[in-house]
Amino acid sequence: MLRPSPLLPGPGAAAAAAPPGRATGMRMFHGDVFLGEADVFSIKPGPEGALPFPSNEIRISHLSPASERCPPLAILQTIAPFSVRCKLQAKPLPPHPSLHRLYLTCFNEYKSAVVVVGDEELHLVAMPSKVEKVPCFWCCSVRTGLYAASVWMLNLRCLAIVFDLDETLIVANTMRSFESRIEVLSRRMDVEDDPVRVAGMSAEIKRYIEDRELLKEFIDTDTVTDNGRIVGTQKEEVQPMPGVQERLFRPVIRLPERNAILTRINPEIRDTSVFVKLRPAWEDLRSYLTAKGRKRFEVYVCTMAERDYALEIWRLLDPEANLISLNNLSDRVVCVKAGSKKSLQHVFRDGGCHPKMAMVIDDRLQVWDDKDQHRVHVVPAYAPYYAPQAEMANAVPVLCVARNVACNVRGGFFREFDENLLKKVFELLYENELLDLPYAPDVGDYLVCEDPNFPPSNKDPAPIPEGMSGAEVEKRLNGRAYQGDQKQISSSTRPSDDARVAIRGTLGSSNMQPNGGSMAIVPSLFVTVLQEIGRLCNSKVEFRSTVSTSKITQFSVEVLFSNEKIGNGIGKTRDEAQVQAAEKALQNLQSNYLSYVAPIAGVLNKDTSKSPRNGNGFLEDDLDLDGDTAMQEPSGSTSEQKDLSNVDRFSSVINLITELCLEDRHVIFRDQVRNPGSATNEEYHFQVELAGQILGNGIGVNKDFAKLQAAEEALRFLKTTTDPQIKKHLRPIRCSS
């Protein structure tokens, strides 16, 4: 994008518009080198407009790092919105050559001149002006170190992501925690009358006992017997952090088939042995964060666990230190005292990132500071003992959903940065006002937040919290064994467990709930399913949003799939509009792609060697948004031959309909709500629509027959219609059948 010439007058320009406030003359230095004098104008009245320079002089300490693509004002507006403190204009008679050179260097190389005052930096940003050959600057304030950290992140299109550990990425247990959980469940079983619940608790106890025995064998012999195979420990060296000379080796057993690892926090104390279960699809999420060696996200950890334990768990998750380098590990793994609130300001206490550029993955929302909660993607708590099949119950695993959310957030953030903020910053002049600055993106704008307290759909007693925390971690993992309380059941419940239990209660249940005759899905699922479809077929999914200019503020969001608009939504909030747009997009994908592109009665081709007919790599897996699964019969059966006949007939009808319609019009097949009175008879209803008008209806005992019936009725209607609203969508010269 072309920038205005810095020192040439604009069309019809005569002189700079004087900023508000009285001019104060100040001498400028770069280190001890005198640069010249400048008039400094405050831009706010009263005490707020006090000039920030001490001793009434401007002493530049250094120049900021150069940016490859982002002018300094765009970076500052992103990390410190509307932080302009004052404006500077060189004395015109004549400007000192050194000041002139500084101005051109900053303007042409995308640098700023930095004045350090206490714990903040004042960045002098070279601005183009209507005044000829007069160096002009805007002065913006930002926390020390934040600008330098943000420059390369914005250049590389990189954001930050903060992970919780326990019940988000892993579940860990010691012998003590295993025994506590088994004892609590046993007491519950003794007073439970429901045989179904008793069976569930019995199965959960069995899973705990099985892993406890493996951990006990690891503690006693440094081996485990897994499916009749004896597996010994491997001594894994823990790479020392900078400044630590001592080499540390931990005994570790990895059981990839179980998605489990056994390790010992303190290698000298066997009681610090831990059985760790890794959440499925972690490798998918990890590989996305650093695809092809390029970081899409800077990674941080924020946990309430004890520090040695947290560092070892992270080493297991990131063994090659690709996500967090050893040099940064000490600062990037942040441990918060149990009962305290987590906050992004604390995570980035070293100025490594601005909270607006960070998203969080956690299984609990309420543990985060209120001002950060809109940046948290809440995942269901990982419960491998309570609900071992829950992770794979949905088509998209939990951490793949998180990956897709991160992808959507990053795309939305930098689309706003490039298409709005950068574009408008390039148009700004020294004479512009503070209110002319563009809106700066925030990760929270592109994150559909879920309410973690939605009611669980089952009535089972609250499961026992997984993982380790509290006194057990502090005493056991630091090598201080319990004395005299070996039989006492520890309280391993962390704060706000009610919220976590509510989430876990929904793991095994359907995401779909009645809502006025339609089916409503958990909001972010719409968005993430679209992202997964796009990923699987190498098609770009975009969400574009605008704000209406009417008195009633409304947000409008449209969904683009391979640059084709497939859905739009309007709401009072951006999240509401995005969910509505995603829902409509999924409906259109189901109708257009499943019925028009692959007209085989709603069942997609399983043969991945065959290319889909639409040519955009659309997902060929079995996608059934209705949740119904057709019964399969042996090959060669009479039923199969009849179905094949219906498929051929359906394809012929579809071809005839498309010949009648204009090329840019798609016939939509819409699945209607099943008649409650006929639900026991498995009756399906379909409608065919064109331009919002119903062309045909179909009812049948299976989807194939109902769709065929609807298509044939639609074809008869199109051949005989005299409706001008329909005819305008048909070809002028009709093809005979």
Side-chain angles (χ1 to χ4, degrees), residues 109-110 185 212 234 291 317 332 412 428 494 527 563 607 624 630 680 696-697 719:
E109 297 180 15
Y110 286 174
L185 280 169
R212 183 194 64 180
Q234 299 293 324
L317 290 167
R332 296 285 182 92
L428 291 175
R494 294 184 285 165
V527 177
N563 295 320
D607 185 357
D624 188 352
T680 56
N697 290 280
K719 286 183 176 181

Side-chain angles (χ1 to χ4, degrees), residues 51 141 215 260 290 320 325 335 377 397 481 605 700:
L51 299 179
S141 62
L215 180 60
T290 58
E320 296 177 355
S325 70
C335 296
H377 172 63
N605 193 344

Side-chain angles (χ1 to χ4, degrees), residues 129-156:
S129 173
K130 297 177 182 179
V131 179
E132 184 177 5
K133 296 182 180 179
V134 177
C136 298
F137 300 85
W138 281 11
C139 173
C140 304
S141 62
V142 68
R143 190 165 50 134
T144 299
L146 182 57
Y147 183 95
S150 303
V151 167
W152 78 266
M153 289 182 68
L154 292 173
N155 279 337
L156 297 178

Side-chain angles (χ1 to χ4, degrees), residues 161-166 300-305 310 332-336 341-344 346-347 360-362 367-368:
I161 191 166
V162 182
F163 288 109
D164 175 48
L165 293 178
D166 288 296
Y300 293 76
V301 172
C302 186
T303 177
M304 291 182 179
R332 296 285 182 92
V333 177
V334 179
C335 296
V336 178
K341 285 276 190 178
K342 298 178 181 180
S343 75
L344 289 175
H346 181 58
V347 172
V360 178
I361 307 291
D362 203 326
V367 297
W368 284 90

